[in-house]
């Protein structure tokens, strides 16, 4: 099945997705990788209000990402909750 | 599990060094505080601005030096904290590293352990918060985890002082055991093995002591900037080839981190029993409010309001009691006792020294309330929610939610706030936050304001104080926007922040937090305040003992034309403001010295209030809230920015703002004929 690639900032609350790639710089990438945003890791968007930062669940933890940061993380969309 | 009891009477025969490592929010500081109590020393890492905590305890006749490493997510050179933590392990070679992990967040927390294992140091795993994990339906099989990792694993509940004895004993046993360790270590994925091997060969024999070649090779492949610089210097001949290899494998970091997490997943697969899906935990329920775009803000403002309420209703009565039951009677007794001493000496002791010491001590209840509140908010995990809720507002200034935390700290004292900006990695965002911190009214300024406002405005005092605080914060936003636009060309930095699980705050951790902050205040500010109030007394006494002819009065009178613009016709108010430059709380001490000559019966605030119209009173409060930062704050601004230029900029900026706004407020009141 062909899956859709979307930025985390474009995923509505409750969406499950797999991390596909990053479009930010090296340090940005490193910080996210360490927090568990590895390629293929499953994430759940816990709160996305359409503006401002979003909250993502990854490896049982919650991480807040600024809107600009969430834009740079591209994920493969799975089903919704 | 037994409770840890310290036995300091035993005579230690030998000593070991144990480093405490862990990611943020794993309860590491609680473990440290429980183990060392008041036997700890807080300072800075040599030449660094990161806090360095060490402590001691005696166990089974062994003296254990415990070093609390900075909390970090990994050991890559991403931040100063990470460099400090790994440098300590590599260079100081602690006998054992205790790695604290949160059982409810095992996979993420084990990432740091995976990095520690690569450093080839004996490790004991402290599996903390097993109670929290159990509440969430998570169960960790300790024996299975221990067998998989092949390192000792000790379950603990640090906040309830459970298992800590076993943990430290396990560390001691490991330090004293002769059996070589063979922990399970993460391996690199097959596709990157050849390049890692080649790099390893290229650097053989060229890595400076005490670095391990395996570790250096791995960090090179990860693209670690500090290690790359080191190898470039140490192996200039091999460097071009290494550089070529690294640029061909730039994405190796993706595989290495991915590989570490796969290894972790294998380690915990059999050891962790997961909850049934759909279980709604406490964190989810609380976050429906705490991170809600509207209710989250209401909650945050409510909490801030409650802290002020506590300051007024719990701390201020104690302050007043201290004043009326201790210092005024003491001053009376002393002036009677010194009735035969020279007048200047009696005045020095009563007005200068007792006044100054009294000022310092009467601040303690306020600071205790404040730091307790801050400690509780931090320890429960709420502060991260506050940062999240505030992120959108911080964006207007080109800052992100993380800057909110140090600014919030500014309410306690601008000094820890300026130092707290270290949590912001980006230099520009950090500098901007430092420049904005003095606009956050600190406890000292709030204490001055809450001391004077009731006398100026009676029942409207709380409202006026609230408006003054809101005014300061509005100015903070406006100044932030302006500086960001004009000086930083609207740049912006990454906001990536963990939101920890909520947990019950630990009394000892908060108690020690309050204690250390109070101690710092007494040591740094306390001495200065007593000194300055004595100097101010001297200036007000010299040359002839009549305050109206004194040196200080001369300066105040000279500045009176400026004061008149803001409604301050009394030179004593100008002098009080000038001395607040040295320490904000000096406003009260100075007013006390200047107004308190002879009579003790009428309250100081009331006496000051009686000389001012409401408009002039408001203007005085405004200028007090915005005036240049105190000397101690300026000193830390210089320390943290490492630039006299930015330090001077900060002083000039605030001087201009305070004068413009207070003159504006008074002139507007005059125009509207309000409170004249």
């Amino acid at each position: 099945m062909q899956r859709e690639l979307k930025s985390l900032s474009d995923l509505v609350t409750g969406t499950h997705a797999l991390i596909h790639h990053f479009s930010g710089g090296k340090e940005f990438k490193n910080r996210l990788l360490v927090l568990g945003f590895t390629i293929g890791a499953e994430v759940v968007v816990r709160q996305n209000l359409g503006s401002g930062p979003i909250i993502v669940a990854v490896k049982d933890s919650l991480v807040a990402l600024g809107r600009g940061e969430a834009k740079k993380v591209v994920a493969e969309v799975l089903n919704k909750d | 599990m037994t409770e840890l009891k310290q036995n300091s009477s035993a005579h230690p025969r030998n000593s070991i060094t144990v480093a405490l490592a862990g990611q943020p929010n794993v309860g590491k500081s609680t473990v440290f505080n429980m183990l060392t109590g008041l036997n700890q020393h807080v300072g800075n890492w040599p030449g660094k601005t990161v806090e360095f905590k060490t402590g001691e305890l005696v166990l089974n006749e062994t003296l254990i030096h415990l070093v609390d490493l900075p909390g970090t997510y990994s050991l890559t050179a991403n931040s100063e904290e990470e460099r400090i933590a790994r440098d300590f392990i590599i260079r100081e070679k602690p006998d054992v590293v205790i790695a604290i992990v949160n059982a409810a967040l095992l996979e993420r927390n084990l990432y740091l352990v995976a990095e520690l294992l690569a450093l080839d140091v004996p490790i004991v795993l402290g599996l903390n918060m097993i109670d929290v994990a159990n509440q969430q339906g998570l169960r960790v099989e300790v024996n299975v985890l221990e067998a998989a990792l092949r390192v000792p694993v000790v379950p603990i509940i640090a906040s309830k002082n459970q298992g800590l004895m076993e943990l430290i004993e396990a560390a001691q046993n490991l330090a004293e055991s002769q059996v070589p360790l063979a922990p399970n270590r993460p391996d690199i994925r097959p596709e990157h093995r050849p390049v890692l091997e080649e790099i390893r060969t290229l650097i053989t024999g060229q890595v400076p002591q005490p670095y391990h070649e395996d570790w250096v090779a791995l960090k090179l492949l990860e693209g670690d900037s500090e290690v790359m610089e080191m190898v470039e210097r140490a192996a200039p001949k091999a460097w071009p080839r290494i550089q070529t290899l690294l640029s061909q494998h730039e994405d190796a970091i993706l595989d290495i981190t991915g590989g570490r997490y796969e290894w972790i997943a294998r380690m915990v697969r059999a050891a962790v029993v997961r909850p049934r899906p759909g279980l709604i935990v406490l964190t989810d329920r609380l976050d429906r409010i705490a991170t809600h775009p509207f209710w989250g803000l209401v909650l945050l403002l409510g909490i801030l309001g409650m802290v002020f309420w506590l300051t007024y209703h719990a701390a201020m009565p104690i302050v007043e009691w201290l004043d009326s039951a201790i210092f005024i009677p003491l001053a009376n007794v002393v002036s009677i006792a010194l009735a035969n001493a020279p007048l200047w000496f009696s005045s020095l002791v009563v007005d200068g020294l007792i006044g100054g010491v009294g000022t310092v001590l009467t601040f303690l209840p306020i600071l205790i309330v404040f730091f307790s509140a801050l400690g509780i908010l931090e320890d429960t995990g709420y502060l991260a929610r506050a940062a999240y809720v505030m992120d959108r507002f911080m964006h207007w200034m080109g800052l992100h939610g993380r800057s909110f935390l140090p600014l919030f700290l500014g309410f306690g004292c601008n000094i820890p706030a300026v130092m707290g900006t270290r949590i912001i990695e980006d230099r520009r965002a950090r500098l901007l936050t430092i420049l904005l911190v003095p606009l956050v009214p600190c406890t000292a300024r709030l204490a001055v304001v809450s001391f004077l406002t009731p006398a100026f405005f009676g029942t409207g005092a709380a409202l006026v104080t609230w408006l003054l605080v809101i005014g300061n914060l509005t100015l903070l936003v406006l100044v932030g926007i302006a500086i960001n636009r004009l000086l930083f060309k609207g740049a912006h930095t990454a906001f990536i922040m963990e939101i920890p699980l909520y947990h019950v705050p630990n009394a000892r951790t908060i108690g020690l937090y309050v204690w250390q902050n109070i101690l710092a205040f007494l040591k740094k500010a306390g001495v200065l305040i007593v000194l300055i109030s004595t100097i101010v007394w001297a200036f007000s006494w010299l040359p002839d003992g009549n305050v109206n002819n004194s040196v200080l009065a001369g300066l105040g009178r000279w500045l009176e034309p400026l004061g008149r613009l803001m409604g301050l016709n009394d030179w004593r108010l100008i002098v009080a403001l000038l001395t607040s430059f040295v320490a904000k709380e000096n406003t009260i001490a100075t007013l006390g010295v200047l107004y308190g000559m002879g009579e003790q019966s009428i309250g100081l605030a009331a006496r000051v209030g009686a000389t001012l119209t409401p408009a002039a009173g408001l203007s005085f409060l405004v200028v007090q809230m915005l005036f240049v930062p105190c000397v101690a704050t300026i000193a830390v601004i210089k320390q943290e920015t490492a630039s006299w230029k930015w330090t001077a900029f900060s002083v000039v900026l605030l001087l201009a703002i305070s004068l413009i706004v207070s003159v504006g407020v008074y002139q507007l009141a005059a125009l509207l004929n309000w409170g004249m």
Side-chain angles (χ1 to χ4, degrees):
Chain A
M1 192 184 92
Q2 188 64 41
R3 278 173 176 157
E4 217 182 337
L5 288 185
K6 270 188 171 179
S7 284
L8 286 186
S9 56
D10 295 332
L11 302 180
V12 296
T13 305
T15 311
H16 290 241
L18 302 178
I19 298 298
H20 192 271
H21 70 272
F22 307 96
S23 59
K26 185 179 120 185
E27 201 195 305
F28 170 74
K29 199 160 66 179
N30 281 2
R31 285 178 60 195
L32 284 174
L33 285 169
V34 161
L35 289 175
F37 290 87
T38 51
I39 307 302
E42 183 173 346
V43 297
V44 186
V45 177
R46 293 290 288 273
Q47 189 173 71
N48 185 350
L49 302 163
S51 69
I54 72 168
I55 299 178
V56 183
V58 60
K59 306 257 193 263
D60 295 332
S61 70
L62 297 174
V63 177
L65 295 176
R67 194 133 214 106
E69 288 70 44
K71 268 201 185 80
K72 293 183 200 156
V73 183
V74 180
E76 213 175 306
V77 182
L78 297 174
N79 60 316
K80 271 197 74 181
D81 258 343
Chain B
M1 287 189 280
T2 49
E3 289 224 341
L4 180 83
K5 289 200 182 67
Q6 284 169 35
N7 183 2
S8 48
S9 60
H11 295 287
R13 282 189 308 195
N14 49 353
S15 75
I16 59 170
T17 301
V18 175
L20 209 53
Q23 292 191 339
N25 311 311
V26 295
K28 186 166 67 72
S29 45
T30 304
V31 172
F32 181 75
N33 288 335
M34 284 293 182
L35 286 172
T36 60
L38 288 173
N39 288 325
Q40 47 176 274
H41 172 77
V42 185
N44 272 8
W45 289 85
K48 299 277 165 55
T49 51
V50 177
E51 198 172 67
F52 175 58
K53 282 185 177 177
T54 56
E56 281 167 0
L57 71 152
V58 175
L59 183 80
N60 302 333
E61 300 189 337
T62 300
L63 177 67
I64 298 170
H65 294 283
L66 205 59
V67 176
D68 192 19
L69 297 175
T72 59
Y73 291 106
S74 70
L75 292 178
T76 315
N78 284 335
S79 68
E80 192 162 44
E81 283 80 2
E82 291 177 313
R83 283 193 288 272
I84 286 172
R86 75 182 192 189
D87 282 357
F88 182 83
I89 295 170
I90 292 169
R91 296 195 185 140
E92 306 298 324
K93 296 194 178 67
D95 296 284
V96 178
V97 172
I98 294 180
I100 305 295
V101 294
N102 177 346
L105 269 183
L106 196 53
E107 288 194 44
R108 231 280 314 287
N109 285 173
L110 280 175
Y111 189 86
L112 180 69
V113 176
E115 286 231 56
L116 285 169
L117 286 167
L119 285 174
D120 204 21
V121 60
I123 287 175
V124 173
L125 197 67
L127 189 63
N128 196 13
M129 304 193 192
I130 44 173
D131 52 339
V132 178
N134 287 343
Q135 277 163 20
Q136 293 185 27
L138 268 171
R139 220 176 60 240
V140 183
E141 305 282 356
V142 173
N143 296 340
V144 180
L145 188 63
E146 198 167 57
L149 289 166
R150 297 205 290 267
V151 300
V153 178
V154 183
I156 59 172
I157 307 174
S159 58
K160 293 178 186 157
N161 199 2
Q162 287 177 18
L164 293 174
M165 181 71 139
E166 286 84 349
L167 179 68
I168 202 78
E169 255 174 3
Q172 194 197 347
N173 289 341
L174 194 61
E176 285 162 6
S177 89
Q178 306 298 318
V179 188
L181 274 171
N184 203 333
R185 290 203 176 93
D187 213 348
I188 192 162
R189 280 183 191 161
E191 58 267 37
H192 283 116
R193 267 177 217 158
V195 61
L196 183 65
E197 199 46 51
E198 193 177 345
I199 294 173
R200 173 76 173 73
T201 314
L202 282 165
I203 59 168
T204 301
Q206 309 202 47
V207 170
Q209 284 297 330
Y211 291 90
H212 281 275
E213 285 163 358
D214 286 337
W215 182 80
V216 170
L218 186 64
K219 283 288 155 188
L220 281 175
L221 198 55
E222 282 183 35
D224 185 297
S225 50
E226 197 187 50
V227 172
M228 281 163 75
E229 276 168 38
M230 179 181 85
V231 174
E232 188 179 359
R233 260 182 283 117
K237 279 194 189 140
W239 181 246
R241 174 68 189 143
I242 294 171
Q243 214 175 9
T244 314
L245 284 172
L246 294 182
S247 61
Q248 283 165 356
H249 293 85
E250 252 180 358
D251 270 351
I253 181 76
L254 296 176
D255 267 349
I256 293 171
T257 48
R260 281 195 189 119
Y261 270 113
E262 280 163 20
W263 174 83
I264 290 167
R266 282 203 303 281
M267 293 296 110
V268 303
R269 192 170 295 143
V272 178
V273 182
R274 305 219 148 250
R276 57 196 163 80
L279 182 78
I280 294 169
V281 295
L282 178 72
T283 290
D284 290 326
R285 245 177 284 160
L286 290 175
D287 274 350
R288 278 193 199 148
I289 295 168
T291 64
H292 189 277
F294 176 72
W295 295 114
L297 265 180
V298 172
L299 180 69
L300 178 60
L301 291 178
I303 287 171
L304 288 175
M306 208 166 69
V307 175
F308 292 136
W309 188 88
L310 272 174
T311 308
Y312 285 120
H313 291 87
M316 287 309 280
I318 301 174
V319 172
E320 279 155 25
W321 175 82
L322 278 174
D323 213 32
S324 61
I326 310 265
F327 291 108
I328 293 176
L330 182 69
N332 287 336
V333 169
V334 172
S335 23
I336 292 165
L338 293 175
N340 294 325
L343 194 57
W344 70 265
F345 183 74
S346 157
S347 177
L348 167 69
V349 173
V350 173
D351 301 318
L353 290 177
I354 294 179
V357 172
T359 308
V360 174
L361 292 184
T362 49
F363 272 114
L364 293 189
I366 297 167
L367 287 180
I368 289 169
V369 166
F370 210 87
F371 282 118
S372 304
L374 198 63
I376 291 168
L377 294 180
E378 196 167 31
D379 207 36
T380 51
Y382 175 72
L383 272 191
R385 273 81 185 175
Y388 170 78
V389 170
M390 293 309 289
D391 186 64
R392 59 184 68 230
F393 303 104
M394 305 307 280
H395 260 78
W396 296 340
M397 297 176 272
L399 295 173
H400 51 60
R402 251 184 126 109
S403 291
F404 177 75
L405 299 175
L407 289 174
F408 186 87
L409 270 176
F411 281 105
C413 177
N414 285 181
I415 296 156
V418 170
M419 286 153 67
T421 60
R422 289 170 200 168
I423 62 164
I424 307 160
E425 291 90 355
D426 180 74
R427 200 181 139 69
R428 183 201 55 83
R430 196 177 158 202
L431 182 58
L432 179 51
T433 312
I434 289 174
L435 291 174
L436 295 179
V437 163
L439 285 167
V440 179
C442 62
T443 322
R445 267 178 284 173
L446 286 174
V448 172
V449 166
S450 51
F451 181 80
L452 295 175
T453 314
F456 291 1
F457 296 100
T459 50
L463 179 69
V464 171
T465 311
W466 187 77
L467 284 173
L468 285 168
V469 172
I470 298 295
N472 261 50
L473 297 184
T474 309
L475 265 170
L476 185 151
V477 173
L478 295 177
V479 172
I481 293 172
I483 295 179
N484 189 46
R485 290 268 166 84
L486 299 174
L487 293 176
F488 299 131
K489 316 277 183 275
H492 161 79
T493 39
F495 176 53
I496 304 170
M497 183 189 65
E498 182 188 5
I499 298 189
L501 297 172
Y502 286 103
H503 50 85
V504 180
N506 177 255
R508 191 156 174 175
T509 299
I510 292 159
L512 279 165
Y513 175 78
V514 173
W515 168 247
Q516 281 157 2
N517 278 297
I518 296 292
L519 210 62
F521 173 79
L522 288 178
K523 272 192 210 159
K524 286 184 196 156
V527 176
L528 203 63
I529 295 167
V530 174
L531 195 71
I532 292 306
S533 52
T534 310
I535 292 172
V536 169
W537 167 84
F539 278 178
S540 69
W541 178 272
L542 296 171
D544 63 357
N546 183 349
V547 71
N548 293 306
N549 307 327
S550 69
V551 176
L552 207 55
L555 186 62
R557 287 201 184 92
W558 184 68
L559 287 170
E560 240 177 21
L562 185 64
R564 259 195 292 277
L565 284 176
M566 49 182 106
L568 307 180
N569 297 319
D570 192 332
W571 57 271
R572 289 180 292 190
L573 293 168
I574 297 167
V575 169
L577 191 64
L578 289 177
T579 55
S580 84
F581 167 69
V582 178
K584 294 292 168 187
E585 41 292 38
N586 275 350
T587 301
I588 302 292
T590 307
L591 288 175
V593 170
L594 294 181
Y595 281 75
M597 295 299 193
E599 312 153 50
Q600 306 282 345
S601 53
I602 315 165
L604 172 63
R607 211 186 304 175
V608 177
T611 69
L612 288 172
T613 62
L618 184 64
S619 160
F620 182 69
L621 293 173
V622 166
V623 73
Q624 170 69 32
M625 287 284 272
L626 296 169
F627 203 53
V628 293
C630 66
V631 165
T633 305
I634 292 172
V636 289
I637 290 176
K638 165 67 179 68
Q639 179 191 319
E640 300 295 324
T641 59
S643 153
W644 278 115
K645 194 188 85 181
W646 285 115
T647 310
F649 179 81
S650 171
V651 173
V652 173
L653 179 75
L654 286 149
L655 186 64
I657 291 174
S658 62
L659 294 181
I660 290 169
V661 175
S662 57
V663 168
V665 163
Y666 184 74
Q667 296 301 331
L668 187 70
L671 206 66
L672 300 173
N673 203 21
W674 173 86
M676 298 306 289

